[in-house]
């Protein structure tokens, strides 16, 4: 996949070595489950979790997205630190705050991992989570207008 930030396109490519010595796939699957839970609660108009719990989940999603992009950038881009990736994410958000949110980037990465077969038998769960992320993005966009 590619991610266009400013005038530059960044190639995001994952390989098996990206995941062998890390917990990135586990964290990604957990995040997708969290997104599904949030969407389910919104659909059922349930009470949401506390602000502190929500903020901790958002922070973890920020860290995970940055970590995933750092791994995905390694093969094709010249980004040497996590902080550089964070700076690129800041630039990406500044370009279009309505459409370039954290959930959209995470959703793109999740779709790429799914498409490339990194989730194996988690295919169904991943597809449902990707749909949930897409639905959250749509709901968020509607609330902003």
């Amino acid at each position: 996949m590619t991610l266009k930030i400013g005038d530059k396109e960044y190639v995001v490519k994952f390989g098996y070595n990206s995941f062998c010595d890390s917990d990135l796939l586990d964290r990604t699957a957990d995040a997708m489950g969290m997104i599904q839970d949030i969407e389910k609660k919104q659909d059922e108009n349930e009470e949401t979790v506390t602000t502190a719990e929500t903020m901790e989940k958002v922070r973890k999603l920020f860290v995970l997205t940055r970590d995933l992009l750092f791994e995905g950038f390694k093969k094709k881009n010249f980004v040497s630190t996590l902080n550089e990736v964070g700076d690129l994410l800041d630039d990406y958000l500044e370009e279009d705050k309505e459409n370039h949110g954290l959930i959209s980037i995470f959703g793109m990465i999740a779709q790429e991992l799914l498409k490339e077969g990194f989730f194996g038998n988690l295919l169904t769960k991943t597809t449902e989570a990707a749909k949930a992320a897409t639905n959250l993005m749509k709901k968020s966009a509607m609330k902003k207008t």
Side-chain angles (χ1 to χ4, degrees), residues 28-42 57 61 64-65 102-104 106-107 110 128-137:
T28 302
D30 290 345
M32 287 190 240
M34 176 192 66
I35 290 169
Q36 279 182 288
D37 290 344
I38 291 169
E39 183 191 35
K40 184 178 178 181
K41 285 180 181 181
Q42 285 180 346
K57 289 178 181 182
L61 193 56
L64 174 60
T65 301
L102 175 70
I103 298 261
S104 66
F106 180 76
E128 290 170 2
K131 287 178 187 174
T134 301
N135 289 339
L136 274 177
M137 287 186 294

Side-chain angles (χ1 to χ4, degrees), residues 31 37 44 72 84 89 105 130:
D37 290 344
E44 295 173 358
E84 286 180 63
L89 287 169
I105 296 171

Side-chain angles (χ1 to χ4, degrees), residues 38-99:
I38 291 169
E39 183 191 35
K40 184 178 178 181
K41 285 180 181 181
Q42 285 180 346
D43 287 345
E44 295 173 358
N45 292 322
E46 287 185 23
E47 287 289 319
T48 58
V49 292
T50 67
T51 301
E53 291 172 314
T54 301
M55 292 312 298
E56 179 61 15
K57 289 178 181 182
V58 168
R59 186 194 67 75
K60 287 180 179 181
L61 193 56
F62 267 82
V63 171
L64 174 60
T65 301
R66 185 185 68 170
D67 290 350
L68 284 166
L69 280 179
F70 183 65
E71 282 300 319
F73 281 174
K74 283 183 179 179
K75 285 191 174 218
K76 302 285 183 176
N77 306 283
F78 298 105
V79 178
S80 58
T81 68
L82 286 168
N83 284 337
E84 286 180 63
V85 175
D87 291 342
L88 289 171
L89 287 169
D90 289 340
D91 294 344
Y92 186 72
L93 175 64
E94 286 299 314
E95 287 179 358
D96 182 356
K97 289 185 181 184
E98 294 292 320
N99 299 307

